[in-house]
Amino acid sequence: MLSHAILEQLGVFVHPDVLTADQCRDWRQRAVKAESRPGFVYKQGKSRLDEDARRTQEVGLTPEDAKRLDQQIAAVLPALDRHFDMALGPLCEYRCMLYDSGDFFVPHYDVTAVEGETVRNVHKRTVTLLIFLNAPDDPEVPYQGGELTFFGLLDVPDSDQHGFSVEAKQGKLVAFKSDILHSVTPVLSGNRCVIVAWFHDQSKHRETTHGG
Amino acid sequence: MADDQNTDKPVRAESAYHHPLPDGSGLLFDQTTQTAYPITESARLIWELCDGEHDFDQIVSAVETKYDVNRETAENDAKLLLADLREKGLLADRDTA
């Protein structure tokens, strides 16, 4: 695995401990108790269930929970602006992702080129933010597999074929441009839980005001 | 170091690629093993001179000049790095260079 310092130079922002162990436990417990739905994939402007491409459960965060998360990560936001060299604005589309044993997400991009018929936010995404709520070495809820892996980071031939994993640690925040190819390898045992949210292109917000 | 090594002109392996990083360091990527190796800025200079045109003495001179170090230090650093690159398969075999 590449060090944080190198990942950052390749465009992937890493903060080792944005949330405390207690905060992670609290988010995780809320997520597993909440009503979840299968994660969809976006293809040709439409979102749909495709268990060959993605198998995971999603839990949407309430506006109150989103506000609470904003407060918990507020100290990191200036560093994110600096890393991505832009004013990222507010986070959007907050959700918890629950990966049970066998769940995965094949290599994909988080942003689509154009606004879709049933996908009204995905084309606006600029930066993806992810926080690990547990990790393989977690003393309470460990898991195996489920590696967040980036592709195309290097300027070498067939770069999209070469993946680099990020070491998961409870409370670690990872942020990356939404057009970076990435995947989650199959969870081999246990349950992987992360929070995901996106920064949107503010100019596209002004163009289209409808929700997603 | 033996004379043949002093006149050896190291060549990068065909499967090895360099990805420069903004801080001046870099990553060497071996496409065969799909492994990335971080290298320092000075190692990057040595790597770039492994072009089959520069021999060991010329590489050492380049390091000595750029980093203002004495000959012995430059020689040791270059020797260690080249041995490491060779061990990792990032340099072509001498026979095929």
Side-chain angles (χ1 to χ4, degrees):
Chain A
M1 286 184 190
L2 299 176
S3 70
H4 291 178
I6 289 175
L7 278 171
E8 291 216 4
Q9 293 194 68
L10 295 173
V12 179
F13 177 92
V14 181
H15 188 288
D17 50 6
V18 72
L19 296 183
T20 66
D22 285 345
Q23 288 169 336
C24 288
R25 188 183 304 111
D26 180 47
W27 283 113
R28 205 175 55 240
Q29 287 172 350
R30 283 163 172 266
V32 295
K33 284 179 193 164
E35 190 176 338
S36 65
R37 69 171 182 87
F40 283 15
V41 296
Y42 307 102
K43 278 185 184 168
Q44 294 160 341
K46 294 186 177 179
S47 65
R48 62 188 173 87
L49 187 65
D50 180 356
E51 291 201 326
D52 289 331
R54 181 186 189 191
R55 207 182 308 157
T56 183
Q57 292 287 315
E58 288 186 4
V59 176
L61 266 60
T62 65
E64 293 75 27
D65 279 347
K67 197 173 171 184
R68 197 159 59 91
L69 182 68
D70 280 344
Q71 290 167 351
Q72 290 174 349
I73 66 170
V76 179
L77 298 182
L80 279 168
D81 283 354
R82 283 196 300 276
H83 177 88
F84 291 103
D85 196 23
M86 64 174 109
L88 289 168
L91 271 170
C92 308
E93 303 183 76
Y94 301 79
R95 57 194 75 166
C96 280
M97 305 284 190
L98 301 166
Y99 287 78
D100 290 337
S101 184
D103 288 356
F104 63 92
F105 200 162
V106 297
H108 65 282
Y109 303 98
D110 280 355
V111 62
T112 56
V114 292
E115 182 179 12
E117 189 182 323
T118 60
V119 192
R120 291 184 169 165
N121 278 318
V122 176
H123 78 294
K124 298 177 191 168
R125 295 172 178 172
T126 54
V127 170
T128 302
L129 180 145
L130 179 148
I131 303 170
F132 295 99
L133 297 179
N134 65 333
D137 64 354
D138 193 302
E140 296 173 26
V141 276
Y143 63 86
Q144 288 183 300
E147 289 187 349
L148 174 63
T149 306
F150 293 102
F151 300 86
L153 294 181
L154 302 186
D155 184 18
V156 301
D158 302 321
S159 188
D160 281 354
Q161 307 295 316
H162 311 309
F164 294 100
S165 300
V166 177
E167 186 182 17
K169 284 281 174 194
Q170 188 183 59
K172 182 191 276 189
L173 180 152
V174 178
F176 52 96
K177 290 269 184 76
S178 299
D179 59 1
I180 291 181
L181 188 65
H182 60 285
S183 72
V184 178
T185 63
V187 172
L188 303 174
S189 67
N191 306 98
R192 174 186 188 268
C193 189
V194 296
I195 287 178
V196 179
W198 285 272
F199 292 101
H200 284 182
D201 182 332
Q202 297 304 301
S203 64
K204 286 180 179 167
H205 259 293
R206 284 191 288 277
E207 290 163 14
T208 54
T209 54
H210 47 250
Chain B
M1 177 159 289
D3 284 347
D4 62 334
Q5 285 176 311
N6 279 347
T7 55
D8 179 30
K9 294 179 177 175
V11 183
R12 301 182 282 266
E14 279 185 19
S15 62
Y17 293 90
H18 173 237
H19 179 97
L21 293 173
D23 69 355
S25 66
L27 283 175
L28 296 183
F29 183 71
D30 184 350
Q31 213 160 25
T32 307
T33 60
Q34 303 213 357
T35 308
Y37 303 99
I39 54 168
T40 62
E41 187 184 333
S42 55
R44 183 172 155 182
L45 169 66
I46 295 172
W47 174 255
E48 283 166 358
L49 294 174
C50 291
D51 54 3
E53 300 291 323
H54 296 83
D55 65 22
F56 182 77
D57 281 336
Q58 290 170 314
I59 291 171
V60 170
S61 296
V63 174
E64 200 180 357
T65 306
K66 177 148 188 189
Y67 294 102
D68 193 23
V69 291
N70 63 42
R71 184 82 187 173
E72 190 184 355
T73 303
E75 223 171 72
N76 285 338
D77 287 355
K79 187 178 165 185
L80 285 172
L81 180 74
L82 290 172
D84 190 38
L85 294 175
R86 211 172 284 287
E87 189 184 319
K88 290 184 164 86
L90 296 168
L91 292 180
D93 290 338
R94 288 194 177 94
D95 294 342
T96 58

